[in-house]
Short mmCIF file of all heavy atoms in Angstrom, two decimals:
data_model
loop_
_atom_site.label_atom_id
_atom_site.label_comp_id
_atom_site.label_asym_id
_atom_site.label_seq_id
_atom_site.Cartn_x
_atom_site.Cartn_y
_atom_site.Cartn_z
N ASN B 18 126.25 87.15 112.18
CA ASN B 18 126.14 87.72 110.80
C ASN B 18 124.68 87.54 110.35
O ASN B 18 124.19 86.47 110.57
CB ASN B 18 127.08 87.06 109.78
CG ASN B 18 128.56 87.31 110.18
OD1 ASN B 18 128.91 88.34 110.75
ND2 ASN B 18 129.42 86.27 109.97
N LEU B 19 124.11 88.54 109.71
CA LEU B 19 122.67 88.46 109.42
C LEU B 19 122.39 88.82 108.03
O LEU B 19 123.20 89.54 107.38
CB LEU B 19 121.90 89.58 110.19
CG LEU B 19 122.20 89.68 111.79
CD1 LEU B 19 121.55 90.94 112.30
CD2 LEU B 19 121.63 88.52 112.32
N VAL B 20 121.30 88.18 107.52
CA VAL B 20 120.81 88.50 106.16
C VAL B 20 119.32 88.87 106.20
O VAL B 20 118.54 88.08 106.72
CB VAL B 20 121.01 87.29 105.19
CG1 VAL B 20 120.45 87.58 103.87
CG2 VAL B 20 122.49 86.88 105.09
N LEU B 21 119.04 90.03 105.71
CA LEU B 21 117.61 90.48 105.65
C LEU B 21 117.26 90.50 104.24
O LEU B 21 118.04 90.96 103.33
CB LEU B 21 117.54 91.86 106.22
CG LEU B 21 118.07 92.18 107.59
CD1 LEU B 21 117.81 93.54 108.04
CD2 LEU B 21 117.47 91.14 108.64
N ASN B 22 116.03 90.03 103.86
CA ASN B 22 115.56 89.81 102.52
C ASN B 22 114.44 90.75 102.06
O ASN B 22 113.65 91.05 102.89
CB ASN B 22 115.06 88.36 102.31
CG ASN B 22 116.24 87.36 102.54
OD1 ASN B 22 117.23 87.27 101.79
ND2 ASN B 22 116.02 86.58 103.66
N CYS B 23 114.54 91.15 100.91
CA CYS B 23 113.58 92.00 100.33
C CYS B 23 113.27 91.58 98.86
O CYS B 23 114.12 91.19 98.11
CB CYS B 23 114.11 93.35 100.33
SG CYS B 23 113.15 94.63 99.38
N SER B 24 112.00 91.39 98.64
CA SER B 24 111.59 91.04 97.18
C SER B 24 110.58 92.05 96.74
O SER B 24 109.74 92.54 97.43
CB SER B 24 111.04 89.67 97.13
OG SER B 24 109.86 89.47 97.97
N PHE B 25 110.58 92.25 95.39
CA PHE B 25 109.66 93.23 94.81
C PHE B 25 109.02 92.59 93.52
O PHE B 25 109.85 91.85 92.86
CB PHE B 25 110.30 94.62 94.63
CG PHE B 25 111.70 94.56 94.02
CD1 PHE B 25 111.82 94.70 92.61
CD2 PHE B 25 112.81 94.36 94.76
CE1 PHE B 25 113.08 94.71 92.09
CE2 PHE B 25 114.08 94.34 94.26
CZ PHE B 25 114.24 94.59 92.87
N THR B 26 107.93 93.08 93.09
CA THR B 26 107.31 92.49 92.02
C THR B 26 107.53 93.15 90.66
O THR B 26 107.45 92.43 89.64
CB THR B 26 105.75 92.60 92.25
OG1 THR B 26 105.29 93.87 92.37
CG2 THR B 26 105.32 91.71 93.48
N ASP B 27 107.95 94.31 90.48
CA ASP B 27 108.18 95.02 89.38
C ASP B 27 109.64 95.28 89.19
O ASP B 27 110.21 96.04 89.93
CB ASP B 27 107.35 96.32 89.25
CG ASP B 27 107.51 96.90 87.85
OD1 ASP B 27 108.29 96.59 87.03
OD2 ASP B 27 106.77 98.01 87.69
N SER B 28 110.28 94.64 88.28
CA SER B 28 111.81 94.75 88.17
C SER B 28 112.24 96.02 87.48
O SER B 28 113.39 96.36 87.34
CB SER B 28 112.36 93.47 87.41
OG SER B 28 111.82 93.48 86.06
N ALA B 29 111.31 96.84 86.98
CA ALA B 29 111.72 98.01 86.23
C ALA B 29 111.86 99.12 87.30
O ALA B 29 111.10 100.08 87.37
CB ALA B 29 110.55 98.46 85.29
N ILE B 30 113.03 99.04 88.06
CA ILE B 30 113.21 100.09 88.99
C ILE B 30 114.47 100.90 88.66
O ILE B 30 115.24 100.54 87.85
CB ILE B 30 113.54 99.31 90.41
CG1 ILE B 30 114.73 98.48 90.38
CG2 ILE B 30 112.33 98.57 90.89
CD1 ILE B 30 115.27 97.96 91.70
N TYR B 31 114.50 102.09 89.19
CA TYR B 31 115.66 102.99 89.02
C TYR B 31 116.82 102.68 89.96
O TYR B 31 117.99 102.75 89.60
CB TYR B 31 115.29 104.43 89.18
CG TYR B 31 114.44 104.96 87.98
CD1 TYR B 31 113.04 104.71 87.88
CD2 TYR B 31 114.99 105.70 87.02
CE1 TYR B 31 112.31 105.17 86.80
CE2 TYR B 31 114.33 106.24 86.00
CZ TYR B 31 112.85 105.89 85.80
OH TYR B 31 112.10 106.35 84.77
N ASN B 32 116.46 102.41 91.19
CA ASN B 32 117.40 102.02 92.19
C ASN B 32 116.62 101.45 93.36
O ASN B 32 115.37 101.25 93.32
CB ASN B 32 118.23 103.28 92.66
CG ASN B 32 117.39 104.45 93.14
OD1 ASN B 32 116.45 104.18 93.98
ND2 ASN B 32 117.71 105.63 92.79
N LEU B 33 117.43 101.02 94.41
CA LEU B 33 116.84 100.49 95.63
C LEU B 33 117.58 100.98 96.73
O LEU B 33 118.80 101.06 96.84
CB LEU B 33 116.85 98.99 95.52
CG LEU B 33 116.15 98.18 96.75
CD1 LEU B 33 115.43 96.92 96.23
CD2 LEU B 33 117.19 97.89 97.84
N GLN B 34 116.90 101.46 97.76
CA GLN B 34 117.45 102.05 99.02
C GLN B 34 117.19 101.23 100.24
O GLN B 34 115.96 100.75 100.34
CB GLN B 34 116.99 103.44 99.18
CG GLN B 34 117.79 104.26 100.03
CD GLN B 34 117.49 105.81 99.82
OE1 GLN B 34 116.60 106.14 99.09
NE2 GLN B 34 118.22 106.66 100.60
N TRP B 35 118.06 101.02 101.05
CA TRP B 35 117.94 100.37 102.41
C TRP B 35 117.90 101.53 103.47
O TRP B 35 118.84 102.40 103.43
CB TRP B 35 118.99 99.32 102.66
CG TRP B 35 118.71 98.03 102.08
CD1 TRP B 35 119.17 97.63 100.85
CD2 TRP B 35 117.85 96.90 102.57
NE1 TRP B 35 118.70 96.36 100.59
CE2 TRP B 35 117.89 95.87 101.65
CE3 TRP B 35 117.17 96.78 103.68
CZ2 TRP B 35 117.18 94.72 101.76
CZ3 TRP B 35 116.41 95.52 103.88
CH2 TRP B 35 116.57 94.52 102.97
N PHE B 36 116.93 101.44 104.39
CA PHE B 36 116.88 102.38 105.47
C PHE B 36 116.84 101.74 106.85
O PHE B 36 116.42 100.53 106.91
CB PHE B 36 115.53 103.23 105.34
CG PHE B 36 115.49 104.10 104.18
CD1 PHE B 36 114.95 103.59 102.97
CD2 PHE B 36 115.83 105.44 104.30
CE1 PHE B 36 114.77 104.53 101.86
CE2 PHE B 36 115.64 106.27 103.12
CZ PHE B 36 115.12 105.82 101.97
N ARG B 37 117.19 102.56 107.75
CA ARG B 37 117.07 102.01 109.17
C ARG B 37 116.07 103.05 109.83
O ARG B 37 116.12 104.34 109.66
CB ARG B 37 118.39 102.10 109.84
CG ARG B 37 118.42 102.02 111.21
CD ARG B 37 119.75 102.27 111.97
NE ARG B 37 119.59 102.31 113.34
CZ ARG B 37 120.42 101.61 114.25
NH1 ARG B 37 121.44 100.97 113.76
NH2 ARG B 37 120.26 101.72 115.47
N GLN B 38 115.18 102.42 110.73
CA GLN B 38 114.28 103.33 111.51
C GLN B 38 114.25 102.91 113.02
O GLN B 38 114.00 101.76 113.25
CB GLN B 38 112.89 103.22 111.01
CG GLN B 38 111.89 104.22 111.63
CD GLN B 38 110.46 104.24 111.07
OE1 GLN B 38 110.06 103.24 110.65
NE2 GLN B 38 109.77 105.39 111.22
N ASP B 39 114.73 103.85 113.79
CA ASP B 39 114.69 103.62 115.25
C ASP B 39 113.24 104.08 115.72
O ASP B 39 112.63 104.84 115.14
CB ASP B 39 115.69 104.53 115.93
CG ASP B 39 117.11 104.03 115.66
OD1 ASP B 39 117.58 102.87 116.00
OD2 ASP B 39 117.86 104.73 114.87
N PRO B 40 112.82 103.42 116.79
CA PRO B 40 111.42 103.68 117.37
C PRO B 40 111.14 105.11 117.47
O PRO B 40 111.87 105.93 118.07
CB PRO B 40 111.43 102.98 118.76
CG PRO B 40 112.47 101.88 118.61
CD PRO B 40 113.53 102.45 117.66
N GLY B 41 110.05 105.52 116.89
CA GLY B 41 109.52 106.93 116.96
C GLY B 41 110.43 107.89 116.25
O GLY B 41 110.18 109.16 116.41
N LYS B 42 111.25 107.50 115.28
CA LYS B 42 112.10 108.40 114.65
C LYS B 42 111.81 108.28 113.10
O LYS B 42 111.14 107.39 112.58
CB LYS B 42 113.58 108.04 114.89
CG LYS B 42 114.04 108.03 116.35
CD LYS B 42 113.95 109.35 116.94
CE LYS B 42 114.43 109.37 118.38
NZ LYS B 42 114.32 110.71 118.94
N GLY B 43 112.44 109.28 112.34
CA GLY B 43 112.41 109.12 110.98
C GLY B 43 113.36 108.05 110.35
O GLY B 43 113.93 107.35 111.13
N LEU B 44 113.47 108.00 109.08
CA LEU B 44 114.32 107.01 108.35
C LEU B 44 115.75 107.56 108.11
O LEU B 44 115.78 108.70 107.68
CB LEU B 44 113.59 106.60 107.10
CG LEU B 44 112.54 105.48 107.19
CD1 LEU B 44 111.32 105.92 107.87
CD2 LEU B 44 112.25 104.97 105.82
N THR B 45 116.70 106.63 108.31
CA THR B 45 118.03 107.04 107.98
C THR B 45 118.48 106.17 106.91
O THR B 45 118.36 104.89 106.96
CB THR B 45 118.90 106.76 109.20
OG1 THR B 45 118.46 107.58 110.33
CG2 THR B 45 120.36 107.15 108.87
N SER B 46 119.04 106.77 105.76
CA SER B 46 119.44 106.04 104.64
C SER B 46 120.80 105.24 105.02
O SER B 46 121.73 105.79 105.55
CB SER B 46 119.77 106.98 103.46
OG SER B 46 120.16 106.17 102.34
N LEU B 47 120.79 103.97 104.56
CA LEU B 47 121.96 103.15 104.82
C LEU B 47 122.80 102.94 103.57
O LEU B 47 123.98 103.28 103.51
CB LEU B 47 121.56 101.73 105.39
CG LEU B 47 120.85 101.77 106.74
CD1 LEU B 47 120.40 100.34 107.05
CD2 LEU B 47 121.79 102.24 107.75
N LEU B 48 122.08 102.50 102.47
CA LEU B 48 122.77 102.20 101.23
C LEU B 48 121.77 102.44 100.11
O LEU B 48 120.51 102.20 100.23
CB LEU B 48 123.19 100.69 101.20
CG LEU B 48 124.30 100.35 102.17
CD1 LEU B 48 124.38 98.80 102.23
CD2 LEU B 48 125.65 100.82 101.65
N LEU B 49 122.27 103.00 99.00
CA LEU B 49 121.57 103.13 97.71
C LEU B 49 122.27 102.32 96.70
O LEU B 49 123.48 102.52 96.45
CB LEU B 49 121.53 104.64 97.47
CG LEU B 49 120.86 104.96 96.04
CD1 LEU B 49 119.35 104.73 96.15
CD2 LEU B 49 121.24 106.34 95.59
N ILE B 50 121.55 101.49 96.08
CA ILE B 50 122.08 100.74 94.91
C ILE B 50 121.39 101.20 93.62
O ILE B 50 120.10 100.99 93.55
CB ILE B 50 121.79 99.25 95.04
CG1 ILE B 50 122.16 98.73 96.47
CG2 ILE B 50 122.61 98.41 94.02
CD1 ILE B 50 121.88 97.25 96.77
N GLN B 51 122.05 101.73 92.70
CA GLN B 51 121.58 102.01 91.37
C GLN B 51 121.15 100.78 90.55
O GLN B 51 121.75 99.66 90.88
CB GLN B 51 122.55 102.90 90.59
CG GLN B 51 122.93 104.21 91.30
CD GLN B 51 121.76 105.25 91.25
OE1 GLN B 51 120.71 105.04 90.66
NE2 GLN B 51 121.98 106.31 92.00
N SER B 52 120.28 100.87 89.69
CA SER B 52 119.74 99.72 88.88
C SER B 52 120.87 99.04 88.18
O SER B 52 120.79 97.80 87.82
CB SER B 52 118.63 100.11 88.09
OG SER B 52 119.10 100.99 87.07
N SER B 53 121.86 99.70 87.83
CA SER B 53 122.99 99.10 87.04
C SER B 53 124.00 98.40 87.86
O SER B 53 125.02 97.87 87.38
CB SER B 53 123.75 100.25 86.21
OG SER B 53 124.23 101.27 87.01
N GLN B 54 123.88 98.60 89.25
CA GLN B 54 124.89 98.04 90.12
C GLN B 54 124.32 96.72 90.76
O GLN B 54 123.19 96.42 90.76
CB GLN B 54 125.11 99.10 91.28
CG GLN B 54 125.78 100.34 90.91
CD GLN B 54 125.95 101.34 92.03
OE1 GLN B 54 125.08 101.45 92.89
NE2 GLN B 54 127.01 102.04 92.02
N ARG B 55 125.35 95.91 91.26
CA ARG B 55 124.97 94.63 91.88
C ARG B 55 125.03 94.76 93.40
O ARG B 55 124.36 93.95 94.00
CB ARG B 55 125.88 93.64 91.41
CG ARG B 55 125.71 93.10 89.97
CD ARG B 55 124.56 92.13 89.95
NE ARG B 55 124.51 91.48 88.62
CZ ARG B 55 123.61 90.47 88.41
NH1 ARG B 55 122.89 90.03 89.43
NH2 ARG B 55 123.50 89.94 87.29
N GLU B 56 125.90 95.52 93.90
CA GLU B 56 125.98 95.68 95.35
C GLU B 56 126.60 96.99 95.75
O GLU B 56 127.23 97.67 94.93
CB GLU B 56 126.82 94.54 95.92
CG GLU B 56 128.22 94.37 95.54
CD GLU B 56 128.86 93.23 96.17
OE1 GLU B 56 128.86 93.08 97.39
OE2 GLU B 56 129.47 92.42 95.42
N GLN B 57 126.44 97.25 97.05
CA GLN B 57 126.99 98.47 97.75
C GLN B 57 127.39 98.05 99.12
O GLN B 57 126.70 97.26 99.82
CB GLN B 57 126.01 99.70 97.78
CG GLN B 57 125.91 100.43 96.50
CD GLN B 57 127.08 101.32 96.28
OE1 GLN B 57 127.92 101.66 97.12
NE2 GLN B 57 127.23 101.79 95.05
#
Side-chain angles (χ1 to χ4, degrees):
Chain B
N18 300 325
L19 310 170
V20 176
L21 307 183
N22 297 293
C23 171
S24 61
F25 47 95
T26 55
D27 186 351
S28 62
I30 63 171
Y31 285 81
N32 56 44
L33 185 142
Q34 197 165 0
W35 280 93
F36 293 88
R37 167 188 173 135
Q38 186 178 27
D39 293 291
K42 305 292 185 182
L44 277 66
T45 301
S46 178
L47 297 173
L48 291 163
L49 174 73
I50 312 175
Q51 298 291 349
S52 62
S53 58
Q54 297 175 321
R55 284 283 189 169
E56 64 180 308
Q57 279 286 340

